[in-house]
Coordinates of all heavy atoms in Angstrom, one line a residue:
R1 N 137.8 42.3 164.5 CA 138.0 41.3 163.5 C 137.2 41.5 162.3 O 136.1 41.8 162.3 CB 137.7 39.9 164.1 CG 138.5 39.6 165.3 CD 139.0 38.2 165.3 NE 139.7 37.9 166.5 CZ 141.0 37.6 166.5 NH1 141.6 37.4 165.3 NH2 141.7 37.4 167.6
K2 N 137.9 41.2 161.1 CA 137.2 41.4 159.8 C 136.8 40.0 159.3 O 137.6 39.1 159.4 CB 138.2 42.0 158.8 CG 138.1 43.5 158.8 CD 138.8 44.0 157.6 CE 138.1 45.2 157.1 NZ 138.7 45.8 156.0
L3 N 135.6 40.0 158.8 CA 135.1 38.7 158.1 C 135.1 38.9 156.6 O 134.8 37.9 155.9 CB 133.7 38.4 158.6 CG 133.6 38.2 160.1 CD1 132.1 38.0 160.5 CD2 134.4 36.9 160.5
S4 N 135.4 40.0 156.1 CA 135.5 40.2 154.7 C 136.6 41.2 154.4 O 137.1 41.9 155.2 CB 134.1 40.8 154.2 OG 133.9 42.1 154.7
A5 N 137.0 41.2 153.1 CA 138.0 42.1 152.6 C 137.7 42.5 151.2 O 137.2 41.8 150.5 CB 139.4 41.4 152.7
N6 N 138.2 43.7 150.9 CA 138.0 44.2 149.5 C 139.4 44.2 148.8 O 140.4 43.9 149.4 CB 137.3 45.6 149.5 CG 138.1 46.6 150.2 OD1 139.3 46.6 150.3 ND2 137.4 47.6 150.7
G7 N 139.4 44.6 147.6 CA 140.7 44.7 146.8 C 141.7 45.6 147.5 O 142.9 45.3 147.5
Q8 N 141.3 46.7 148.1 CA 142.2 47.6 148.8 C 142.8 46.9 150.0 O 144.0 46.9 150.2 CB 141.4 48.8 149.3 CG 142.2 49.8 150.1 CD 143.2 50.6 149.2 OE1 142.9 50.8 148.1 NE2 144.4 50.9 149.7
D9 N 142.0 46.1 150.7 CA 142.6 45.4 151.9 C 143.5 44.3 151.4 O 144.6 44.1 152.0 CB 141.4 44.7 152.7 CG 140.5 45.7 153.3 OD1 141.0 46.8 153.6 OD2 139.3 45.4 153.5
L10 N 143.1 43.5 150.4 CA 143.9 42.4 150.0 C 145.2 42.8 149.3 O 146.2 42.1 149.4 CB 143.1 41.5 149.0 CG 141.9 40.8 149.6 CD1 141.1 40.1 148.5 CD2 142.3 39.8 150.7
G11 N 145.2 43.9 148.6 CA 146.4 44.3 147.9 C 147.4 45.2 148.7 O 148.5 45.4 148.3
S12 N 146.9 45.6 149.9 CA 147.8 46.4 150.7 C 148.4 45.6 151.9 O 148.1 44.4 152.1 CB 147.0 47.6 151.3 OG 146.1 47.1 152.3
A13 N 149.2 46.2 152.6 CA 149.8 45.6 153.8 C 148.9 45.6 155.0 O 149.2 45.1 156.1 CB 151.2 46.2 154.1
S14 N 147.7 46.2 154.9 CA 146.9 46.4 156.1 C 146.2 45.2 156.6 O 146.0 45.1 157.8 CB 145.8 47.4 155.8 OG 144.9 46.9 154.8
L15 N 146.0 44.1 155.8 CA 145.3 42.9 156.2 C 146.3 41.9 156.8 O 146.1 41.5 158.0 CB 144.5 42.3 155.1 CG 143.6 41.1 155.4 CD1 142.5 41.6 156.4 CD2 143.0 40.6 154.2
L16 N 147.3 41.6 156.1 CA 148.3 40.6 156.6 C 149.6 41.1 156.9 O 150.5 40.3 157.4 CB 148.4 39.5 155.5 CG 147.0 38.8 155.1 CD1 147.3 37.9 154.0 CD2 146.5 38.0 156.3
G17 N 149.9 42.3 156.6 CA 151.2 42.9 156.8 C 152.3 42.5 155.7 O 153.3 43.1 155.7
V18 N 151.9 41.6 154.9 CA 152.8 41.2 153.8 C 152.0 41.1 152.5 O 150.9 40.5 152.5 CB 153.5 39.9 154.1 CG1 154.4 39.4 152.9 CG2 154.4 40.0 155.3
R19 N 152.5 41.6 151.4 CA 151.8 41.4 150.1 C 152.6 40.4 149.3 O 153.8 40.6 149.0 CB 151.8 42.8 149.4 CG 151.1 42.7 148.1 CD 150.9 44.1 147.4 NE 152.1 44.9 147.5 CZ 152.1 46.0 148.2 NH1 151.1 46.5 148.9 NH2 153.2 46.7 148.2
L20 N 151.9 39.3 149.0 CA 152.6 38.2 148.2 C 152.4 38.4 146.7 O 153.1 37.9 145.9 CB 152.0 36.9 148.6 CG 152.2 36.5 150.1 CD1 151.6 35.2 150.4 CD2 153.7 36.5 150.4
G21 N 151.3 39.1 146.3 CA 151.0 39.3 144.9 C 149.7 40.0 144.7 O 148.9 40.0 145.6
F22 N 149.5 40.6 143.6 CA 148.3 41.3 143.3 C 148.0 41.2 141.8 O 148.9 41.4 141.0 CB 148.3 42.7 143.7 CG 147.0 43.4 143.7 CD1 146.1 43.3 144.7 CD2 146.6 44.1 142.5 CE1 144.8 43.9 144.7 CE2 145.4 44.8 142.5 CZ 144.5 44.6 143.5
S23 N 146.8 40.7 141.4 CA 146.5 40.6 140.0 C 145.1 41.2 139.8 O 144.3 41.2 140.6 CB 146.4 39.1 139.7 OG 146.0 38.9 138.4
G24 N 145.0 41.8 138.6 CA 143.8 42.4 138.2 C 143.9 43.2 136.9 O 144.9 43.2 136.3
T25 N 142.8 43.8 136.5 CA 142.8 44.6 135.3 C 143.5 45.9 135.6 O 143.3 46.5 136.6 CB 141.3 44.9 134.9 OG1 140.6 43.7 134.7 CG2 141.3 45.7 133.7
P26 N 144.4 46.3 134.7 CA 145.1 47.5 134.9 C 144.1 48.7 135.1 O 143.2 48.8 134.3 CB 145.9 47.7 133.6 CG 146.1 46.4 133.0 CD 144.8 45.6 133.4
S27 N 144.3 49.4 136.1 CA 143.4 50.4 136.5 C 144.0 51.3 137.5 O 144.9 50.9 138.3 CB 142.1 49.8 137.2 OG 141.3 50.7 137.8
D28 N 143.6 52.6 137.5 CA 144.1 53.5 138.6 C 143.4 53.2 139.9 O 143.7 54.0 140.9 CB 144.0 54.9 138.1 CG 144.9 55.3 137.0 OD1 146.1 54.8 137.1 OD2 144.6 56.0 136.1
L29 N 142.6 52.2 140.0 CA 142.0 51.9 141.3 C 142.8 50.8 142.0 O 142.2 49.9 142.5 CB 140.5 51.4 141.0 CG 139.6 52.4 140.3 CD1 138.3 51.7 140.0 CD2 139.4 53.6 141.2
L30 N 144.1 51.0 142.1 CA 145.0 50.1 142.8 C 145.0 50.5 144.3 O 144.7 51.6 144.7 CB 146.4 50.3 142.3 CG 146.7 49.8 140.9 CD1 148.0 50.3 140.4 CD2 146.6 48.3 140.8
P31 N 145.4 49.5 145.1 CA 145.6 49.8 146.5 C 146.6 51.0 146.6 O 147.5 51.0 145.9 CB 146.1 48.5 147.1 CG 145.6 47.4 146.2 CD 145.6 48.1 144.8
R32 N 146.3 51.8 147.6 CA 147.2 53.0 147.8 C 148.7 52.7 147.9 O 149.6 53.4 147.5 CB 146.7 53.8 149.0 CG 145.4 54.5 148.7 CD 145.0 55.4 150.0 NE 143.6 55.7 149.9 CZ 142.7 55.0 150.6 NH1 143.0 54.0 151.4 NH2 141.4 55.3 150.4
D33 N 148.9 51.5 148.5 CA 150.3 51.1 148.8 C 151.1 50.9 147.5 O 152.3 50.9 147.4 CB 150.4 49.8 149.5 CG 149.9 49.9 151.0 OD1 149.5 51.0 151.4 OD2 149.9 48.9 151.7
F34 N 150.4 50.7 146.4 CA 151.0 50.4 145.1 C 151.5 51.7 144.3 O 152.3 51.6 143.4 CB 150.1 49.7 144.1 CG 150.0 48.2 144.4 CD1 150.2 47.7 145.6 CD2 149.7 47.4 143.3 CE1 150.1 46.3 145.8 CE2 149.6 46.0 143.5 CZ 149.8 45.5 144.8
G35 N 150.9 52.8 144.7 CA 151.2 54.0 144.0 C 150.4 54.0 142.7 O 149.3 53.4 142.6
G36 N 150.9 54.7 141.6 CA 150.1 54.8 140.4 C 150.3 53.5 139.5 O 151.2 52.8 139.7
C37 N 149.4 53.3 138.6 CA 149.4 52.2 137.7 C 150.3 52.5 136.5 O 150.3 53.6 136.0 CB 148.0 51.9 137.2 SG 147.9 50.5 136.1
H38 N 151.2 51.6 136.2 CA 152.0 51.7 135.0 C 151.5 50.8 133.9 O 151.6 49.6 134.0 CB 153.5 51.3 135.4 CG 154.0 52.1 136.5 ND1 154.5 53.4 136.4 CD2 154.1 51.9 137.9 CE1 154.8 53.9 137.5 NE2 154.7 53.0 138.4
Y39 N 151.0 51.4 132.9 CA 150.4 50.7 131.8 C 151.5 50.2 130.8 O 152.4 50.9 130.5 CB 149.4 51.5 131.0 CG 148.2 52.0 131.9 CD1 148.2 53.2 132.5 CD2 147.1 51.1 132.0 CE1 147.2 53.6 133.3 CE2 146.1 51.5 132.8 CZ 146.1 52.7 133.5 OH 145.0 53.1 134.2
Q40 N 151.3 48.9 130.4 CA 152.2 48.3 129.4 C 151.7 48.8 128.0 O 150.5 48.7 127.7 CB 152.1 46.8 129.5 CG 152.9 46.0 128.5 CD 154.4 45.8 128.9 OE1 154.7 46.0 130.1 NE2 155.2 45.6 128.0
K41 N 152.6 49.2 127.2 CA 152.2 49.7 125.8 C 151.6 48.5 125.1 O 152.1 47.4 125.0 CB 153.5 50.2 125.1 CG 153.2 50.8 123.7 CD 154.4 51.3 123.0 CE 154.0 51.9 121.7 NZ 155.1 52.5 121.0
G42 N 150.4 48.8 124.5 CA 149.7 47.8 123.7 C 148.7 47.0 124.4 O 148.0 46.2 123.8
D43 N 148.7 47.0 125.8 CA 147.7 46.2 126.5 C 146.3 46.5 126.2 O 145.5 45.6 126.0 CB 147.9 46.4 128.0 CG 149.0 45.6 128.6 OD1 149.6 44.8 127.9 OD2 149.3 45.8 129.8
D44 N 145.9 47.8 126.1 CA 144.5 48.1 125.7 C 144.1 47.6 124.3 O 143.1 47.0 124.1 CB 144.3 49.6 125.8 CG 144.2 50.1 127.2 OD1 144.0 49.3 128.2 OD2 144.4 51.3 127.4
A45 N 145.1 47.7 123.4 CA 144.8 47.3 122.0 C 144.7 45.8 122.0 O 143.8 45.2 121.3 CB 145.9 47.7 121.1
Q46 N 145.5 45.1 122.7 CA 145.4 43.6 122.7 C 144.1 43.1 123.4 O 143.5 42.2 122.9 CB 146.6 43.0 123.5 CG 146.8 41.5 123.4 CD 148.0 41.0 124.0 OE1 148.6 41.6 124.9 NE2 148.5 39.9 123.5
M47 N 143.7 43.8 124.5 CA 142.4 43.4 125.1 C 141.3 43.7 124.1 O 140.4 42.8 124.0 CB 142.3 44.2 126.4 CG 141.0 44.0 127.1 SD 140.8 45.0 128.6 CE 140.7 46.6 127.9
L48 N 141.3 44.8 123.5 CA 140.2 45.1 122.5 C 140.2 44.1 121.3 O 139.1 43.7 120.9 CB 140.3 46.5 122.0 CG 139.9 47.6 123.0 CD1 140.2 49.0 122.4 CD2 138.4 47.5 123.3
H49 N 141.4 43.7 120.9 CA 141.5 42.7 119.8 C 140.8 41.4 120.2 O 140.0 40.9 119.5 CB 143.0 42.4 119.5 CG 143.2 41.2 118.7 ND1 143.0 41.2 117.3 CD2 143.6 40.0 119.0 CE1 143.2 40.0 116.8 NE2 143.6 39.2 117.8
Y50 N 141.0 40.9 121.4 CA 140.4 39.7 121.8 C 138.9 39.8 122.1 O 138.1 38.9 121.8 CB 141.1 39.1 123.1 CG 142.5 38.5 122.7 CD1 143.7 39.1 123.0 CD2 142.5 37.3 121.9 CE1 144.9 38.5 122.7 CE2 143.7 36.7 121.6 CZ 144.9 37.4 121.9 OH 146.1 36.8 121.5
L51 N 138.5 41.0 122.7 CA 137.1 41.2 123.0 C 136.3 41.4 121.8 O 135.0 41.4 121.9 CB 137.0 42.3 124.0 CG 137.5 42.0 125.4 CD1 137.3 43.2 126.3 CD2 136.7 40.8 126.0
T52 N 136.9 41.6 120.6 CA 136.1 41.8 119.4 C 136.4 40.7 118.4 O 135.8 40.8 117.3 CB 136.4 43.2 118.8 OG1 137.8 43.3 118.5 CG2 136.0 44.4 119.7
S53 N 137.1 39.7 118.7 CA 137.4 38.7 117.8 C 136.3 37.6 117.8 O 136.0 37.0 118.8 CB 138.7 38.0 118.2 OG 139.0 36.8 117.5
P54 N 135.7 37.3 116.6 CA 134.7 36.3 116.5 C 135.1 34.9 116.9 O 134.3 34.1 117.3 CB 134.3 36.4 115.0 CG 134.8 37.6 114.5 CD 136.0 38.0 115.3
S55 N 136.4 34.7 116.9 CA 136.9 33.4 117.4 C 136.9 33.2 118.9 O 137.0 32.1 119.4 CB 138.3 33.1 116.9 OG 139.3 34.0 117.5
V56 N 136.7 34.3 119.6 CA 136.7 34.3 121.0 C 135.3 34.7 121.6 O 134.9 34.1 122.6 CB 137.7 35.3 121.6 CG1 137.7 35.3 123.1 CG2 139.1 34.9 121.1
V57 N 134.6 35.6 121.0 CA 133.4 36.1 121.6 C 132.2 36.0 120.6 O 132.5 35.9 119.4 CB 133.5 37.6 122.0 CG1 134.5 37.8 123.1 CG2 133.8 38.5 120.8
A58 N 131.1 36.0 121.1 CA 129.9 35.9 120.3 C 128.9 37.0 120.9 O 128.9 37.2 122.1 CB 129.2 34.6 120.3
C59 N 128.0 37.5 120.0 CA 127.1 38.5 120.4 C 125.7 37.9 120.3 O 125.4 37.3 119.3 CB 127.2 39.7 119.6 SG 126.1 41.1 120.0
Q60 N 124.8 38.1 121.3 CA 123.5 37.7 121.2 C 122.6 38.8 121.6 O 122.7 39.4 122.6 CB 123.2 36.5 122.1 CG 121.8 36.0 122.0 CD 121.5 34.7 122.7 OE1 122.5 34.0 123.1 NE2 120.3 34.4 123.0
F61 N 121.7 39.2 120.7 CA 120.8 40.3 121.0 C 119.6 39.8 121.8 O 119.2 38.6 121.6 CB 120.3 41.0 119.7 CG 121.4 41.7 119.0 CD1 122.1 41.1 117.9 CD2 121.7 43.0 119.3 CE1 123.1 41.7 117.3 CE2 122.8 43.6 118.7 CZ 123.4 43.0 117.6
V62 N 119.1 40.6 122.7 CA 117.9 40.2 123.4 C 116.7 41.0 123.0 O 116.9 42.1 122.3 CB 118.1 40.4 124.9 CG1 119.2 39.4 125.4 CG2 118.5 41.8 125.3
R63 N 115.5 40.6 123.3 CA 114.3 41.3 122.9 C 114.3 42.7 123.5 O 114.8 42.9 124.6 CB 113.1 40.5 123.3 CG 113.0 39.2 122.6 CD 111.8 38.3 123.1 NE 110.8 39.0 123.9 CZ 109.8 38.4 124.4 NH1 109.6 37.1 124.3 NH2 108.8 39.0 125.0
A64 N 113.6 43.6 122.9 CA 113.5 45.0 123.4 C 112.8 45.0 124.7 O 113.0 45.9 125.5 CB 112.7 45.8 122.4
D65 N 111.9 44.0 125.0 CA 111.2 44.0 126.3 C 111.9 43.1 127.4 O 111.2 42.6 128.2 CB 109.7 43.7 126.1 CG 109.6 42.2 125.6 OD1 110.6 41.7 125.1 OD2 108.5 41.7 125.7
W66 N 113.2 43.0 127.3 CA 113.9 42.1 128.2 C 113.8 42.6 129.6 O 113.5 43.7 129.9 CB 115.4 42.1 127.8 CG 116.2 43.3 128.1 CD1 116.3 44.4 127.3 CD2 116.9 43.6 129.3 NE1 117.0 45.4 127.9 CE2 117.4 44.9 129.1 CE3 117.2 43.0 130.5 CZ2 118.2 45.5 130.1 CZ3 117.9 43.5 131.4 CH2 118.4 44.8 131.3
S67 N 114.0 41.6 130.5 CA 114.0 41.9 132.0 C 115.2 41.3 132.6 O 115.7 40.3 132.1 CB 112.7 41.4 132.6 OG 112.7 40.0 132.6
P68 N 115.6 41.7 133.8 CA 116.7 41.1 134.4 C 116.5 39.6 134.7 O 117.4 38.8 134.4 CB 116.8 41.8 135.8 CG 116.3 43.2 135.5 CD 115.2 42.9 134.5
R69 N 115.3 39.2 135.1 CA 115.0 37.8 135.3 C 115.0 37.0 134.0 O 115.6 35.9 134.0 CB 113.6 37.6 136.0 CG 113.3 36.1 136.3 CD 112.0 36.0 137.1 NE 112.1 36.6 138.4 CZ 112.6 36.0 139.5 NH1 113.2 34.8 139.4 NH2 112.7 36.6 140.6
G70 N 114.5 37.6 133.0 CA 114.5 36.9 131.7 C 115.9 36.7 131.1 O 116.2 35.7 130.6
L71 N 116.7 37.7 131.4 CA 118.1 37.6 130.9 C 118.9 36.5 131.7 O 119.6 35.7 131.2 CB 118.8 38.9 131.1 CG 120.2 39.1 130.5 CD1 120.3 38.8 129.0 CD2 120.8 40.4 130.8
L72 N 118.6 36.5 133.0 CA 119.3 35.4 133.9 C 118.8 34.1 133.4 O 119.5 33.1 133.4 CB 119.0 35.7 135.3 CG 119.7 36.9 135.9 CD1 119.2 37.2 137.4 CD2 121.2 36.7 135.9
D73 N 117.5 33.9 133.1 CA 117.0 32.6 132.6 C 117.6 32.2 131.3 O 118.0 31.1 131.2 CB 115.4 32.7 132.4 CG 114.7 32.7 133.7 OD1 115.2 32.3 134.8 OD2 113.5 33.1 133.7
L74 N 117.8 33.2 130.4 CA 118.5 32.9 129.2 C 119.9 32.4 129.4 O 120.3 31.4 128.8 CB 118.5 34.2 128.3 CG 119.2 34.1 127.0 CD1 118.3 33.3 126.0 CD2 119.5 35.5 126.4
V75 N 120.6 33.1 130.3 CA 122.0 32.7 130.6 C 122.0 31.3 131.3 O 122.8 30.4 130.9 CB 122.7 33.7 131.5 CG1 124.0 33.2 132.0 CG2 122.8 35.0 130.7
A76 N 121.1 31.1 132.2 CA 121.1 29.8 133.0 C 120.8 28.6 132.1 O 121.3 27.5 132.3 CB 120.1 29.9 134.1
K77 N 120.0 28.8 131.0 CA 119.5 27.7 130.2 C 120.3 27.6 128.9 O 120.0 26.7 128.1 CB 118.0 27.9 129.9 CG 117.1 27.8 131.1 CD 115.7 28.2 130.7 CE 114.8 28.2 132.0 NZ 113.5 28.7 131.7
A78 N 121.3 28.4 128.7 CA 122.1 28.4 127.5 C 122.8 27.1 127.3 O 123.3 26.5 128.2 CB 123.2 29.5 127.5
N79 N 122.8 26.6 126.0 CA 123.4 25.4 125.7 C 124.1 25.5 124.3 O 123.4 25.7 123.3 CB 122.4 24.2 125.6 CG 123.1 22.9 125.5 OD1 124.4 22.8 125.6 ND2 122.4 21.8 125.3
P80 N 125.4 25.6 124.2 CA 126.4 25.4 125.3 C 126.3 26.6 126.3 O 125.9 27.7 126.0 CB 127.7 25.3 124.6 CG 127.5 26.1 123.3 CD 126.0 25.9 122.9
P81 N 126.8 26.3 127.5 CA 126.8 27.3 128.5 C 127.7 28.5 128.2 O 128.7 28.3 127.5 CB 127.2 26.6 129.8 CG 128.0 25.4 129.3 CD 127.4 25.0 128.0
Y82 N 127.4 29.6 128.8 CA 128.3 30.8 128.7 C 129.4 30.6 129.6 O 129.3 30.1 130.7 CB 127.5 32.1 129.0 CG 126.5 32.5 128.0 CD1 125.1 32.3 128.3 CD2 126.8 33.0 126.8 CE1 124.2 32.6 127.3 CE2 125.9 33.4 125.9 CZ 124.5 33.2 126.1 OH 123.6 33.5 125.2
H83 N 130.6 31.1 129.2 CA 131.8 31.1 130.1 C 132.0 32.5 130.8 O 132.5 32.6 131.9 CB 133.0 30.7 129.3 CG 132.9 29.4 128.7 ND1 133.0 28.2 129.5 CD2 132.7 29.0 127.5 CE1 132.9 27.2 128.7 NE2 132.7 27.6 127.5
T84 N 131.6 33.5 130.1 CA 131.8 34.9 130.6 C 130.7 35.8 130.0 O 130.3 35.6 128.9 CB 133.1 35.5 130.1 OG1 134.2 34.5 130.5 CG2 133.4 36.8 130.7
L85 N 130.3 36.7 130.8 CA 129.3 37.8 130.4 C 130.0 39.1 130.5 O 130.6 39.4 131.5 CB 128.1 37.8 131.2 CG 127.2 36.5 131.3 CD1 126.1 36.7 132.2 CD2 126.7 36.2 129.9
I86 N 130.0 39.9 129.4 CA 130.6 41.2 129.4 C 129.6 42.2 129.0 O 128.9 42.1 128.1 CB 131.8 41.3 128.4 CG1 132.9 40.2 128.8 CG2 132.4 42.7 128.4 CD1 134.0 40.1 127.8

């Protein structure tokens, strides 16, 4: 019996025998049952457009002597809170 599953398990027929749907970032790291990834023309450009748009994202520089704990503290105490870290 499995207590956990990864994307390969969830996206293939190996876990439940039936695949109801699969969502994720276009990538060639798809479950084997899917075959190759078919990219939609313009998807990469649209993603880059949104990830570089000042109306959607903001950039904050950290000190040169940053640490993982310090970065996590900065994120945890942010006001307004962060929605996503990239």
Side-chain angles (χ1 to χ4, degrees):
R1 300 219 179 245
K2 270 193 144 175
L3 298 176
S4 65
N6 61 30
Q8 179 71 33
D9 295 329
L10 295 173
S12 71
S14 65
L15 188 63
L16 302 173
V18 175
R19 180 175 44 246
L20 299 176
F22 189 84
S23 176
T25 302
S27 167
D28 287 325
L29 298 174
L30 291 170
R32 289 183 199 99
D33 293 358
F34 278 31
C37 185
H38 302 283
Y39 296 95
Q40 179 85 20
K41 184 177 180 177
D43 278 355
D44 288 340
Q46 189 173 28
M47 179 181 62
L48 286 173
H49 167 77
Y50 285 109
L51 290 177
T52 58
S53 171
S55 67
V56 178
V57 298
C59 179
Q60 181 174 345
F61 292 97
V62 294
R63 295 175 19 183
D65 63 342
W66 70 274
S67 69
R69 182 173 298 278
L71 187 60
L72 290 173
D73 284 342
L74 178 76
V75 170
K77 296 173 183 172
N79 189 11
Y82 292 104
H83 299 287
T84 306
L85 299 175
I86 299 175

